[in-house]
Amino acid sequence: ERKDVTLSNLGGFPEVATSIVGVERTYLESTFQDYILLDEKDDSISYPELNPSGISDVVHGLYTNAGISQYNGDPDVQEVLGGQWWSRDSILRNEDILGSDADPKEKEDDAEKNRRLLEEEFDTTPKKVICAEGLRDYMTIDTKTSISLEAKDRKYRARIRAMMSKVPGYFFSGYRQAIFFSVALVSFEDYFAIAEDNVRPKDWDELKDSVMPNSTFGIPKYRLFVKTVGGIDVEDKENLINGLRTYFRDDQTQLLNTSNFRESIQLATDLMEIFFTLVGSVALILAFFLLWVSFIGNVRENAWEYGILRSVGLTGLQVSRLYIYEALAITITATISGTIIGLTIGSTMILQFNVFLELPFKMQFPVTLFSVMVVSAIAIAILGSWIPTEEIRKRKIAHVLKGIEN
């Protein structure tokens, strides 16, 4: 339980209550890799890459002792090695066994025996853990430093294999304010060793009796993640789901088909995109009439200017091009300004959401809708300027200057 397990640096301060969770070697392979955020990994070993994301499979590091310095056999008077329950003072004074009135020489001899017993009986190989990125600044740790993991009365030295902000299936955070709710991942081998050291024999026997047949490491599992191969049809998936349900012993065990959740989310996303497309289409139609009326009114209001330009020698085609260039300049400037303002506001809002979600910033620009609206706006600007000037070109210059309609 969280109250029974704490993490700290080797100085012992500060301590953070946490929960340790054992995971299989292939755990990350069965998760949605888009939600794996790896901040730092132990570079002393090499990791296989997850397919297709290419992210380092850091859980592999929990199952190897590569890059870890082994215990050299010296007395562990600073309580930084694994498997001990005696405190430093008890080892030196041995009062827990002989009492405070024992002969000092006898206490020293027995304390030396306890040291040897500690070295011979208990495995002092550091445990391997994956912990939350938020612990880095709070505890002044990284993947190059060892930490202390204390479970009930036992203290273990641990090596950080990776520090992560997101791990699918468990709460990890990069914020130090949220570290009190995070967990630490260990291998099932280390989890078994820690549980065997700290669970009472009676409870341990009951725990073993609850293990299902063929369960790895002889430990009951809290969750099972199953990743199906690509291309599996719905019928085969349903058969697999129904087969798993036959192992359920009570109604509290639940099976969640995440592919159905993804399909539901994708459907909602598609409907949202259709809604945006419809709204954009309505806006495009309204913009069409607005721009059309605006450009026609602009040309007619400046008909006298058109007559002046014609009278100084410009041809009707040249004057029409001037109006078209003016309309294009306005349209393109408005498009660029609106795009920049929209991207800025949209990105700011997404970044604000990501402050809480701790997800990487990823922009999906609506290229198709944007292109259609820009091309339509440019076409409307050209036609809205060309057609009114064509009407004025057919009139005489004197009639245009005097405002006489033919």
Side-chain angles (χ1 to χ4, degrees):
E1 296 182 7
R2 179 176 296 273
K3 64 180 180 179
D4 298 324
V5 181
T6 59
L7 293 178
S8 67
N9 54 35
L10 294 185
F13 182 83
E15 290 186 342
V16 176
T18 187
S19 298
I20 55 174
V21 178
V23 292
E24 289 277 11
R25 186 191 302 267
T26 58
Y27 174 73
L28 291 182
E29 298 178 14
S30 62
T31 62
F32 293 120
Q33 299 173 17
D34 293 340
Y35 298 98
I36 299 176
L37 294 184
L38 175 62
D39 295 280
E40 184 184 2
K41 62 183 179 181
D42 185 357
D43 293 329
S44 63
I45 62 174
S46 58
Y47 304 90
E49 292 185 351
L50 295 171
N51 185 28
S53 64
I55 301 174
S56 297
D57 188 357
V58 291
V59 173
H60 171 79
L62 300 178
Y63 284 87
T64 175
N65 289 326
I68 293 181
S69 299
Q70 298 297 320
Y71 177 51
N72 60 8
D74 294 332
D76 180 30
V77 296
Q78 300 300 328
E79 301 179 326
V80 296
L81 297 181
Q84 67 182 54
W85 59 67
W86 295 290
S87 67
R88 169 185 165 185
D89 292 338
S90 296
I91 291 177
L92 294 179
R93 298 194 308 267
N94 200 20
E95 291 181 357
D96 291 346
I97 299 176
L98 299 178
S100 58
D101 298 332
D103 180 72
K105 182 65 170 61
E106 185 179 1
K107 287 196 294 184
E108 181 62 30
D109 292 342
D110 280 356
E112 183 62 31
K113 292 180 182 178
N114 286 340
R115 292 192 188 96
R116 290 196 299 271
L117 178 65
L118 192 81
E119 298 165 9
E120 296 171 0
E121 183 174 347
F122 302 110
D123 179 19
T124 55
T125 302
K127 310 303 179 187
K128 286 78 65 180
V129 301
I130 295 175
C131 60
E133 169 66 16
L135 293 171
R136 180 189 301 274
D137 294 331
Y138 183 76
M139 293 173 51
T140 318
I141 58 174
D142 55 27
T143 58
K144 297 178 177 60
T145 58
S146 296
I147 62 173
S148 176
L149 187 156
E150 187 168 354
K152 288 189 176 179
D153 298 322
R154 294 290 186 92
K155 184 175 290 187
Y156 305 89
R157 184 163 57 106
R159 175 68 177 268
I160 302 176
R161 285 304 195 190
M163 305 190 74
M164 307 180 70
S165 296
K166 287 287 182 183
V167 175
Y170 298 100
F171 181 79
F172 274 63
S173 175
Y175 298 137
R176 58 185 298 173
Q177 293 82 1
I179 59 177
F180 303 99
F181 306 98
S182 62
V183 301
L185 304 184
V186 299
S187 66
F188 270 123
E189 297 170 349
D190 287 343
Y191 185 87
F192 184 89
I194 294 173
E196 194 174 31
D197 287 341
N198 292 276
V199 178
R200 292 179 302 179
K202 180 180 178 181
D203 296 335
W204 185 245
D205 292 338
E206 294 178 357
L207 192 64
K208 287 184 177 180
D209 292 339
S210 65
V211 178
M212 297 181 65
N214 301 321
S215 181
T216 55
F217 299 98
I219 300 176
K221 308 301 189 295
Y222 181 72
R223 294 177 182 174
L224 173 66
F225 292 81
V226 179
K227 183 177 182 180
T228 57
V229 296
I232 185 174
D233 56 30
V234 178
E235 183 178 356
D236 290 338
K237 188 174 294 185
E238 289 297 329
N239 291 335
L240 174 61
I241 292 173
N242 293 331
L244 291 173
R245 285 199 172 101
T246 60
Y247 291 95
F248 293 177
R249 298 180 177 178
D250 51 51
D251 295 335
Q252 295 181 352
T253 305
Q254 298 181 354
L255 190 148
L256 303 177
N257 188 354
T258 53
S259 60
N260 288 345
F261 292 151
R262 294 190 68 185
E263 291 173 0
S264 300
I265 295 173
Q266 187 61 46
L267 177 60
T269 303
D270 294 339
L271 291 176
M272 189 67 70
E273 290 181 356
I274 293 174
F275 172 76
F276 287 150
T277 302
L278 292 176
V279 172
S281 300
V282 172
L284 186 61
I285 294 172
L286 295 177
F288 169 79
F289 290 106
L290 179 63
L291 290 173
W292 185 268
V293 173
S294 176
F295 286 126
I296 290 178
N298 179 54
V299 172
R300 290 184 176 179
E301 288 177 2
N302 295 286
W304 185 81
E305 178 184 347
Y306 179 89
I308 294 296
L309 294 174
R310 287 291 307 278
S311 64
V312 297
L314 271 68
T315 64
L317 181 60
Q318 289 175 327
V319 177
S320 297
R321 287 167 58 188
L322 288 177
Y323 280 99
I324 292 174
Y325 293 156
E326 179 185 0
L328 287 176
I330 295 173
T331 302
I332 294 174
T333 302
T335 300
I336 295 175
S337 304
T339 302
I340 294 175
I341 294 172
L343 288 175
T344 303
I345 295 176
S347 300
T348 302
M349 294 182 64
I350 293 174
L351 289 172
Q352 288 177 344
F353 280 119
N354 285 347
V355 168
F356 302 98
L357 299 177
E358 295 187 72
L359 293 175
F361 178 77
K362 184 178 181 181
M363 178 181 293
Q364 294 181 340
F365 192 80
V367 178
T368 303
L369 183 61
F370 178 79
S371 301
V372 170
M373 296 194 71
V374 170
V375 172
S376 301
I378 293 175
I380 293 171
I382 295 174
L383 294 176
S385 301
W386 176 264
I387 295 176
T389 55
E390 279 295 301
E391 297 177 359
I392 299 177
R393 282 175 58 189
K394 298 175 181 179
R395 295 158 56 186
K396 295 181 180 180
I397 297 177
H399 289 178
V400 174
L401 291 173
K402 295 178 180 180
I404 299 175
E405 297 286 344
N406 291 339

